[in-house]
Amino acid sequence: MHVSSKIYIQNLVKKNNGSGSILFYGLNNGPKFSLAHYAIQMLNCYQLKNQEPCGVCSACVKLKALNHPDLHIILPLPNEKKIDGRALAAWKKHIIKNNQLNFEEWKRIIASELGTEKEPSIGSEKISQISSILKLRNFEAKKRIVLIWHAEKLNTIASNKILKMLEEPPDKTYFIFVASDKDELIDTVKSRLEGIHVKEKISAQISETPHRNKDLDYAFATNTEESPANENFKKFQTWMRACHSKNIIELNDLNLEISKRKKGGYLSFMTFCVNKLSFCCRYVVQNKDDAQSNEEMVFIRKFCKHLKLKTLVLLLEEIESSIYYLERNANSKILFLSLSINLFKIFDEN
Ligand SMILES: [Zn+2]
């Protein structure tokens, strides 16, 4: 799971208490749906643990299975009313098995399981139907959810109908859009949505592999690396300072040092930095001053004081995506430099 996106969702959920509209978008097979699914559970869990959905309360269980009376799902369907129910059941079955199910695969499923070759789309009738449901009260959920999967398949009339709902959102209702290409949405709809760009990751990284999640956990001052946490932290500090002040000499020295490391090298250092930046994001979101006054905390307090959450998330995202390339054996020294230059820009522009 993308740590930066999770933090973004947590913050968004905290900020918008009544209602909201979020768009998860990204080309290819990125984990757009799994992030949307995560957000839906976050919004409704009865007992969040460390800001994460618990996975066991009644809301989490129902939403995980996509069977909740307050979850309304809209997806591209072949325009044949009599198979709508079967299509929805087929979609749930497949998306739970493969949360990266794409539109082409969905078309093939419709053809093979429902026996129609009609091009699926999202028509206005479905939107009208949802609109009348939304006039009623929620059954049980804290936040009612309207999930629109492959929202770029909304036709024009449907888009305009949905726009009306977005303009005057019913209370306690969230609209969650998932789309491949945000530019295929009409501008007026797009402008009403908080967009989260989901970049592509390999499936091993987004599947819920527990140890992987643990690696990127928000724990503070944990030393999961072989080299001392202290050493990693000093490097993290140097790196952030060097990027902030565009100190190329310091950056080159640091690059050389990391390249000479015997254990872990770049990958372990980057993972450490993602971990620390996640902690910084949490620190900013919770606005909770940690009583600890060790060296690390002194730096983090100062560092966070001057940065907006958005900047921290951008830094985190940038480093996360470099991990992706490091795992694919990119030239680490060059990658480190170009990544640092990207960080210069983030510090500059924010
Ligand atoms: Zn729960």
Side-chain angles (χ1 to χ4, degrees), residues 1-2 5-6 9 24 31-39 198:
M1 183 72 82
H2 292 221
S5 308
K6 271 167 98 172
I9 297 166
F24 294 91
K32 301 180 285 281
F33 177 79
S34 59
L35 281 172
H37 200 185
Y38 172 84
V198 183

Side-chain angles (χ1 to χ4, degrees), residues 41 44-48 52-61:
Q41 291 168 70
N44 278 294
C45 176
Y46 291 114
Q47 45 187 39
L48 289 175
E52 302 267 352
C54 74
V56 292
C57 72
S58 65
C60 280
V61 170

Side-chain angles (χ1 to χ4, degrees), residues 133-146:
I133 295 174
L134 296 188
K135 291 194 177 94
L136 309 170
R137 283 183 180 204
N138 292 11
F139 285 101
E140 53 181 75
K142 290 203 283 185
K143 312 270 165 54
R144 177 163 50 191
I145 308 286
V146 179

Side-chain angles (χ1 to χ4, degrees), residues 32 42 58 63 80 165 183 193 203 317 325 337 341:
K32 301 180 285 281
M42 273 243 20
S58 65
L63 289 167
E80 280 180 50
M165 289 194 266
D183 292 327
L193 308 173
S203 54
E317 271 180 355
Y325 294 109
L337 275 184
I341 288 162

Side-chain angles (χ1 to χ4, degrees), residues 5-6 10 24 36 43 45 52 82 108 114 118 125 139 142 170 186 217 234 260 283 288 310 333:
S5 308
K6 271 167 98 172
Q10 288 164 354
F24 294 91
L43 285 161
C45 176
E52 302 267 352
K82 60 181 189 301
R108 284 199 288 276
L114 305 159
K118 273 192 187 164
E125 246 177 78
F139 285 101
K142 290 203 283 185
I186 63 170
D217 210 348
K234 284 208 174 103
K260 283 182 186 157
Y283 180 80
K288 201 168 75 184
K310 191 185 145 210
K333 267 175 125 174

Side-chain angles (χ1 to χ4, degrees), residues 43-97:
L43 285 161
N44 278 294
C45 176
Y46 291 114
Q47 45 187 39
L48 289 175
K49 279 188 185 153
N50 297 324
Q51 300 208 46
E52 302 267 352
C54 74
V56 292
C57 72
S58 65
C60 280
V61 170
K62 288 179 196 174
L63 289 167
K64 217 172 187 174
L66 299 168
N67 278 325
H68 190 296
D70 292 307
L71 171 65
H72 306 288
I73 300 169
I74 301 176
L75 53 146
L77 293 173
N79 196 11
E80 280 180 50
K81 252 189 168 171
K82 60 181 189 301
I83 61 166
D84 278 6
R86 277 169 57 213
L88 181 62
W91 179 80
K92 283 182 187 174
K93 185 180 84 187
H94 285 279
I95 197 97
I96 286 173
K97 263 195 284 176

